[in-house]
Structures are given as C-alpha cells and as structure tokens.
Amino acid sequence: MDAKKLTEEYGCLVFNDKLMRERLPKDIYKAVHKTIELGTHLELDVANCVAAAMKEWAVENGATHFTHWFQPMTGLTAEKHDSFITPLDDGSVIMEFSGKELIKGEPDASSFPSGGLRATFEARGYTAWDPSSPAFIKDGSLYIPTAFCSYGGEALDKKTPLLRSMEALSKEAVKVLHLLGYTDVKRVNTTIGSEQEYFLIDKDYYKKRKDLLFTGRTLIGAPATKGQEMEDHYFGVIKPKVSAYMHDLDEELWKLGIPAKTKHNEVAPAQHELAPVFETANVAVDHNQLTMEVMKKVADKHNLACLLHEKPFEGINGSGKHNNWSVCTDTGMNLLDPGKKPGENTPFLVFLMAVIAAVDEYAPILRLSVASAGNDHRLGGNEAPPAIISIFVGDELAEVLKSVEEGSAYQGAGKVQMALGATVLPHFTKDNTDRNRTSPFAFTGNKFEFRMPGSAVSVANANIVLNTAVAEELDKLYAQLEGFEGAALEEKIKEVLKKTLEEHKRVLFNGNGYTDEWVQEAAKRGLPNLKSLPEAMPYWISKESIDLFTKHGIFTEQELHSRYEILLENYSKSIHIEALTMQEMIRKDLTEGILSYEKDITKEMVQKQQLLGEGSGALEKEVLKVLDGSSSEMYKALTKLAQDTATAETKTDILEQASFYQETVLSDMDELRKYADQAEAMIPDKYLGYPTYGQMLFSVR
Ligand code: ADP
Ligand code: MG
C-alpha cells in the first residue's frame, strides 16, 4: 500500500465517526455523539436509524451477516453470526437490521466461564452494544463491539468492568478538577497505547511441536548454541520475510482503523514488537484484541506462526505488552503532562500523587491484574520487571517531588543541550527523564508505562484496576480538599500532597530493579513481592479489594468471587495441560528419537566389533552410556510428574489446587526438562520428531 492509498484506505472497514456524520440525519448523529462523549443513554429510535445506516454501509461493502462481538472471561473474543436476510412470501429476500438487533443480543451464556455466577439452567445471557467502540467489517460480517452480562446483570466479560472503571475515574477526576477551578471539564478519558511483543517462527516447525500447538510455549528443548547474548537482534535489520509480514500486518490493521505505528525487532531472536498510537481505553483494548487475532492470521498467510505466549522459549526473553496509560480531559488537557513548570502545575501534581498513592496502596491487586500462568514465567526473570511493584519517576520529577516534600519552590531543571562532538550533527535538547527498563511502572514524559502485562492476555484487567485505584485516591484527595477555596485551598493542597507523598514514597524507586539489593530493600520498605498467581490470589477477595471495587461500582462481591474462581481454575487447567503435553512429548516423540539413535549406534558398534574385534566401539559405548544415564533419570522424573499431576486433580479446594500445581507440578516439570534437554542435546536433529530451538529461532530469513 503506498502512502496515497493508505490515506484513502485507512479505516475503510470501519463504521467510523466520519461515516456516521455523512450517513445519519444531523439530530441522530448528535444524539449518538452525546452518548459516546458523555456516556448518556441511547433511545431506540436513534438506534434504529444507526442500525439502518450501518447495514446499508455493511451490505455495500459485501457483508451478509452481523455479529455481536464480545470478550468473555476466556480472555479471547467471541462471536455468533446472523445473516441480514428476511425471506419474503414471493421467495425473494430483503436485507434487514433493526435497532433492537443492534443494541441487544441474547447468546447462550452457559458455555462461557462464569465462576459460579449462573447455573447451567440459567443459560440466558445478554450482549449490549458499546457505541463508543466503532463497528467494523471482517470476513463478510459486520462486527458490533458489545458488553456481555448474565441474565441477572452480572458482568461476564472484560469490557463491562472496563467501561465502569473509565466512568468511575472520570467522575472522581471531574470532581477534583472542578474544585481546582477547571469547571469546563465534563469528562475525563483514559488513554492507552499498548505495545505488543510477539515471536515469529516457521509454520511447518510450529505444526510439528505439540507443546506450541496445545500450550503456546515449548516445554522441552535444549538451548540453541546462540541466544540473545550478542545483543544483535534488538532494533536490528528486519529480515525480508519478516518485513513482508509486518508490511501486510500494517495494511490489515490500518483497514480496520487500528493505528499501527511502530515496528521493530526485539531483544530475543525471532522476537518483534508492534506499537499503536494511543486511543481511548476501551477502543484500545478492543483494538489490541483484534491486533492479536490479525497478527496470527497474517502470519498464517506468510507460512509463519505468530507466538503470543509470554514465555515461548526458555533461556531467552519472553513477551510483554507495555501498557502506556494517561488521563486526558474533554477540553484536551493531558493530566499527566508536567508542562514547562511542573512544580506549579497543580492538576498535574494532584493526579501524579493520586497515581503514586494508588500504585502503592493497591500493589497486590495491580500485580494480580497481570497474573496468568504464562506471565508468571516472565515476571522476576531479569528480563521483564520484577514482581515487586515500584514506580520510576526519573530525575526531574524526583526533584519536583522533593520540593513538594520540603515545601520549597521548584526551580526547574531546564533543558540541557546535547553536544555530540561533531558539528555536522544536529543540536537538540535532552529529555528530562532517562529510561529505566527494569521498572514495572515508569513515568515516561506525559504518561505512565505499566510494563508488567503479559503479551497474550487482554489489557482490560490492568486498566480496570489502575482506573479504579486512581479513582479511589482522587476521591480521598477530594475529601481532604473539599470546602477550601482560594489561598486556603492552595495551602491545603500543598499540605495534602506532602502528607500523601510521605505516606506512599516507599513505592518510588529509580534504581535497577533486577538486583538482589532491591529485593532486600523492597522487603524492608514493606513492598509486597508476590511471585506467583496462587500466592497473590487471596488479595483479590480481600476486604480491601471488595471495598474498593464495590464502592466504585466496578465489581459486586459476587463478580469478584466469580473472577477469583475463573482465574484460579484457568491457571490450574493451563498447567495441567502443560504437564500432560510434556509427558506425551517425552514418552512418544523424544523417546522415539533416543531409541532410534541408540539402535543405530548399537548397530554401528556391533558392525565395528565384528570388523575390528571386541575392544573397539569406544565412542559408541560412551555415547550410549551418557544417553542411557540421562534417559533413566528422565524416566524417574517423568514418573514423578505423572503421579503429581494425578494428585493435583484430586484437590478440591481451588486455591490449594493452584498452589499445588505451582509448587509441585511446575517444579517437577523443571526437573524433568533438565534431563530431557540433556538427552535431546546429544541426539542429531534428524532423529527428533520435532524441530529444535536452533531451527525455530533462526530459520526465518
Ligand atoms: P517505547 O518503546 O519507547 O516505550 P513506543 O513508541 O514503542 O515507545 O511506545 C509508546 C506508546 O505510548 C505508544 O503506543 C504511544 O501511542 C503511547 N502513548 C503516547 N502518549 C500517550 C498518552 N498520552 N496516553 C497513552 N499512551 C500514550
Ligand atoms: Mg515501551
């Protein structure tokens, strides 16, 4: 797609604002806009009008069906297609689509995870149109983004609580801003840009690995002789096959109105990243779900497989999804932009403090918002941020905060000119904050970057928790400032900011998060270090969590419990499938490789001995001996894993079960892998029924 075509075709598959303006009567367009901007209720006659225009456009563009598109607790998206046709008596059909069909769907909810929220006999569920995320065409269907809830109105998805959390944050933020004199602000928007990391490998290799097919990550595999130690992949020249893929991917995303912006090679071999321009939170979340889907589809066309798992390969970096997060008013003010004089920028300081307090106070819940079986392999591995949550603010903000604490005036660092030592190079000013890749939560100029989310899961959860926690802290700040005006308010703000900072400054850390000293220091500061999902899980249904989420109307207590169950069950099931897959691969594929190699060596040895006498065949004997040693250890470990996997299944308490998988089954798998990889490393590739690490990581050219 050339540049001209791009501007013409960008968003051509989206029923966007421009189309609505063109195709809807003025008053209808205004009504929809009001709903989108201010979250007001939408009347049925408006919906009827929008539905008719949407259908007309969709049919013009070749769509025959429509589907409500939603995000159940599987973490994936779901869809069920209906055609537009209405048969007539004369044997012909017309294409119809009503406002009712647009705003409400009734899928059977009984086969989606609900964590005990509804019994199987209460199968009914509802999907409800989210007008703030635009409808689009894909594979001949009109896709309508929707929320998904049970017959009783409980949220069964990720969108509903996300929208609730955006509204809660907006409500509290507007309250504070009005108090600070910004009375024209009506709504505050959460903005998100989520950078997506992924691996690309050859599809034929992918299909030969049961572990990748069933679990998304490799469960065995001796390391390749080269990994990421040469630091030659990050930002490296993009190989032609990958470049062609990225090119197609961009085009497909652009057509869907997804603002794909940056693409580059990542640290690990075969690892890449895509970053979009930021958008309103719920649209960004929908777009990220779509991006993951399109990434896989386009890969398939290029004879590649796109791996989105957080840790597809042992020994090299896994993949994350950096969540860049900010808040912006409907009057265009980015509340996390420090401006030229951050020390005097009251809204900035108030919002900054709310974020610091939120991250400190709700660290365990924030940790949980990114917890999954896959992501546990990544956090704390000296490649992603540690499981300890801290905030990096950089030098300049640290100075600003110091002045808040000391009550002194902040003078401002001023911009520093860069001198590169060659006059031909341009002169530019240096950023006031450096980068810190080890921090889980880093201030990056005009937004925070939450680096813990994993690559495979929806970023909805992380933002639900972040929005809600910040809403709560804003409410607390408001309560302390309410009733003050003018100079008294200014004084009070200083006092409250100082007090809040003193309470929460333990969460601020500008140093290297990978060191052991930090782990000890963090423990001294009382910061939680929750290494695994089962360890963190009880916090989700703690009093603190229930109070937070129910107060702001994000989750009811039942909804929290349902999510608790779903997360734990999902975790245990994932590891269970991994354990079974690993056993099967070792029993069948690896064992076959070992035995056929041993058979050939033995044959070789016997022939040699016939020729040269009994004493010959030393090499074969040696190889056989070592291989035999590893395999017999491997079979012992395999037996233990099989026994423990069976024991895990008998546990009835879901938390106890998940802990057992984490503590026992996962470490059995580690032990087993050690011997399996030892054996594999000795066998020539041609004996293995599956591709090696070296083949998978370095074959795409
Ligand atoms: P880096 O890898 O250095 O963090 P990238 O350019 O890859 O930088 O990603 C930065 C991301 O931050 C982009 O997705 C960008 O759209 C997003 N971003 C920029 N400003 C904001 C903002 N105000 N709110 C949310 N996200 C933002
Ligand atoms: Mg980043």
Side-chain angles (χ1 to χ4, degrees):
M1 199 188 279
D2 61 30
K4 184 160 172 283
K5 211 165 150 220
L6 162 62
T7 46
E8 278 165 17
E9 290 202 0
Y10 185 85
C12 64
L13 298 175
V14 187
F15 193 70
N16 56 21
D17 192 64
K18 185 164 166 267
L19 279 179
M20 278 203 277
R21 200 168 46 218
E22 283 166 14
R23 289 177 175 244
L24 294 174
K26 234 188 189 144
D27 54 329
I28 300 288
Y29 171 73
K30 269 194 185 153
V32 179
H33 229 259
K34 208 171 141 210
T35 300
I36 295 172
E37 307 243 288
L38 301 174
T40 49
H41 182 72
L42 194 96
E43 299 300 333
L44 188 61
D45 58 331
V46 176
N48 276 330
C49 236
V50 179
M54 257 187 200
K55 182 215 70 187
E56 205 178 274
W57 167 79
V59 170
E60 278 168 27
N61 284 280
T64 50
H65 289 68
F66 71 93
T67 178
H68 277 200
W69 182 67
F70 54 104
Q71 295 160 32
M73 297 302 297
T74 52
L76 306 168
T77 56
E79 49 195 71
K80 175 185 157 229
H81 302 254
D82 280 299
S83 74
F84 290 125
I85 62 164
T86 305
L88 299 180
D89 289 343
D90 67 358
S92 62
V93 290
I94 50 165
M95 306 290 254
E96 277 187 324
F97 183 48
S98 70
K100 240 169 112 184
E101 286 171 304
L102 168 64
I103 56 179
K104 192 179 104 185
E106 292 187 30
D108 182 339
S110 60
S111 295
F112 292 105
S114 80
L117 269 185
R118 45 121 207 82
T120 331
F121 56 89
E122 291 164 351
R124 204 189 282 271
Y126 292 114
T127 48
W129 178 37
D130 169 16
S132 59
S133 183
F136 55 92
I137 296 174
K138 194 165 69 71
D139 308 324
S141 280
L142 170 69
Y143 279 70
I144 300 153
T146 54
F148 177 46
C149 66
S150 72
Y151 183 67
E154 294 105 346
L156 292 176
D157 70 344
K158 311 219 167 195
K159 189 190 267 286
T160 309
L162 177 66
L163 288 171
R164 290 173 183 165
S165 76
M166 289 164 68
E167 279 181 25
L169 178 60
S170 178
K171 186 176 139 218
E172 300 306 333
V174 168
K175 237 166 61 182
V176 169
L177 287 168
H178 283 190
L179 186 75
L180 299 181
Y182 297 87
T183 46
D184 53 340
V185 175
K186 289 198 200 69
R187 193 177 161 86
V188 160
N189 242 327
T190 324
T191 52
I192 299 175
S194 54
E195 302 161 48
Q196 177 74 47
E197 292 180 338
Y198 61 99
F199 280 83
L200 283 181
I201 65 166
D202 205 304
K203 184 163 81 183
D204 298 330
Y205 285 151
Y206 173 77
K207 286 200 287 201
K208 288 195 181 120
R209 300 243 4 169
K210 289 179 189 139
D211 46 8
L212 286 180
L213 280 170
F214 298 145
T215 75
R217 74 176 180 111
T218 54
L219 301 165
I220 52 175
T225 46
K226 179 179 191 270
Q228 63 190 45
E229 58 284 84
M230 297 300 285
E231 300 176 332
D232 54 357
H233 197 253
Y234 188 63
F235 280 15
V237 177
I238 299 169
K239 304 218 172 80
K241 201 159 180 201
V242 176
S243 175
Y245 165 80
M246 288 177 164
H247 191 86
D248 262 13
L249 175 61
D250 276 341
E251 279 191 16
E252 293 304 315
L253 294 176
W254 289 336
K255 283 190 219 159
L256 287 166
I258 299 173
K261 171 108 173 139
T262 314
K263 51 185 180 187
H264 61 81
N265 286 350
E266 258 300 330
V267 171
Q271 192 186 28
H272 314 281
E273 181 186 297
L274 177 144
V277 177
F278 68 93
E279 301 177 280
T280 302
N282 68 319
V283 178
V285 169
D286 286 357
H287 279 172
N288 180 254
Q289 293 289 130
L290 267 178
T291 300
M292 293 194 283
E293 183 189 321
V294 175
M295 276 179 159
K296 289 191 172 166
K297 240 193 228 160
V298 174
D300 199 57
K301 271 195 216 143
H302 286 247
N303 216 16
L304 296 165
C306 173
L307 311 180
L308 291 172
H309 193 280
E310 285 83 4
K311 193 72 182 175
F313 302 100
E314 207 56 41
I316 57 172
N317 281 7
S319 301
K321 180 146 48 194
H322 293 174
N323 185 71
N324 294 274
W325 178 93
S326 192
V327 265
C328 191
T329 66
D330 58 346
T331 56
M333 196 170 34
N334 177 352
L335 294 161
L336 291 177
D337 185 348
K340 286 206 173 71
K341 295 183 174 164
E344 293 165 28
N345 188 342
T346 308
F348 168 70
L349 290 175
V350 169
F351 279 82
L352 175 69
M353 212 58 79
V355 175
I356 293 174
V359 172
D360 182 36
E361 192 147 350
Y362 296 104
I365 301 171
L366 207 51
R367 161 70 181 88
L368 267 170
S369 77
V370 301
S372 70
N375 212 19
D376 274 4
H377 293 289
R378 196 180 144 254
L379 301 177
N382 282 8
E383 54 165 71
I388 306 164
I389 297 198
S390 65
I391 302 179
F392 169 85
V393 291
D395 294 341
E396 186 182 22
L397 273 198
E399 285 300 313
V400 174
L401 291 175
K402 205 168 123 202
S403 71
V404 167
E405 215 180 346
E406 292 171 355
S408 57
Y410 172 70
Q411 298 306 333
K415 292 271 179 188
V416 179
Q417 279 280 333
M418 275 305 251
L420 296 177
T423 46
V424 53
L425 295 175
H427 286 230
F428 52 85
T429 53
K430 228 164 92 162
D431 286 309
N432 286 343
T433 48
D434 193 7
R435 291 170 174 254
N436 179 333
R437 295 184 71 90
T438 68
S439 178
F441 206 91
F443 184 72
T444 48
N446 61 357
K447 61 186 187 295
F448 275 100
E449 186 174 352
F450 185 30
R451 299 213 180 95
M452 291 171 99
S455 50
V457 296
S458 160
V459 273
N461 277 354
N463 291 290
I464 293 166
V465 174
L466 197 51
N467 291 346
T468 312
V470 173
E472 169 62 15
E473 297 304 332
L474 285 171
D475 184 36
K476 273 191 211 151
L477 290 171
Y478 178 82
Q480 297 172 73
L481 301 174
E482 197 186 1
F484 292 87
E485 268 177 65
L489 177 63
E490 268 176 45
E491 272 315 300
K492 191 72 190 167
I493 290 173
K494 276 189 197 151
E495 180 198 317
V496 169
L497 290 182
K498 185 171 175 215
K499 197 178 109 220
T500 313
L501 182 60
E502 272 164 8
E503 257 171 60
H504 297 290
K505 68 178 178 190
R506 64 173 189 163
V507 78
L508 300 176
F509 177 60
N510 280 353
N512 182 354
Y514 292 170
T515 61
D516 290 337
E517 291 83 61
W518 169 235
V519 177
Q520 284 156 22
E521 164 69 16
K524 246 192 262 161
R525 294 189 192 184
L527 301 178
N529 183 3
L530 300 163
K531 293 210 191 72
S532 72
L533 180 143
E535 207 182 322
M537 217 53 229
Y539 288 95
W540 189 250
I541 46 168
S542 65
K543 181 174 180 311
E544 200 190 14
S545 172
I546 294 170
D547 286 350
L548 172 72
F549 289 119
T550 54
K551 172 177 164 186
H552 294 278
I554 314 301
F555 293 120
T556 61
E557 200 171 330
Q558 290 90 317
E559 285 172 337
L560 280 172
H561 274 278
S562 98
R563 266 150 226 259
Y564 171 84
E565 271 183 38
I566 292 170
L567 253 172
L568 279 173
E569 276 173 1
N570 198 296
Y571 178 87
S572 294
K573 280 181 200 162
S574 303
I575 299 178
H576 190 75
I577 295 169
E578 287 183 355
L580 296 185
T581 307
M582 187 178 195
Q583 290 170 52
E584 174 161 323
M585 270 184 91
I586 290 178
R587 275 207 189 97
K588 295 189 181 168
D589 306 348
L590 182 58
T591 301
E592 191 196 9
I594 297 172
L595 291 180
S596 53
Y597 184 40
E598 284 181 340
K599 196 168 110 199
D600 281 359
I601 303 177
T602 314
K603 219 159 79 189
E604 187 77 29
M605 189 174 67
V606 172
Q607 275 175 5
K608 232 190 221 178
Q609 286 170 342
Q610 279 168 355
L611 262 165
L612 304 171
E614 283 290 304
S616 62
L619 176 63
E620 289 85 349
K621 270 187 210 155
E622 189 57 31
V623 174
L624 275 174
K625 208 169 85 194
V626 180
L627 204 50
D628 197 49
S630 292
S631 349
S632 78
E633 290 301 324
M634 182 175 90
Y635 264 79
K636 270 187 232 157
L638 185 66
T639 309
K640 174 150 180 2
L641 174 63
Q643 281 164 354
D644 287 336
T645 311
T647 308
E649 269 190 299
T650 64
K651 307 264 174 210
T652 47
D653 180 275
I654 51 171
L655 180 60
E656 196 192 316
Q657 184 178 51
S659 303
F660 188 81
Y661 274 110
Q662 196 262 323
E663 285 160 14
T664 309
V665 176
L666 273 182
S667 55
D668 285 354
M669 287 168 67
D670 282 345
E671 184 71 5
L672 174 56
R673 177 167 189 155
K674 210 169 65 192
Y675 298 114
D677 290 359
Q678 263 172 25
E680 190 200 290
M682 294 190 63
I683 305 174
D685 294 357
K686 66 171 183 185
Y687 288 93
L688 287 173
Y690 55 86
T692 61
Y693 265 37
Q695 288 167 325
M696 284 186 287
L697 290 170
F698 294 97
S699 68
V700 178
R701 293 277 126 197

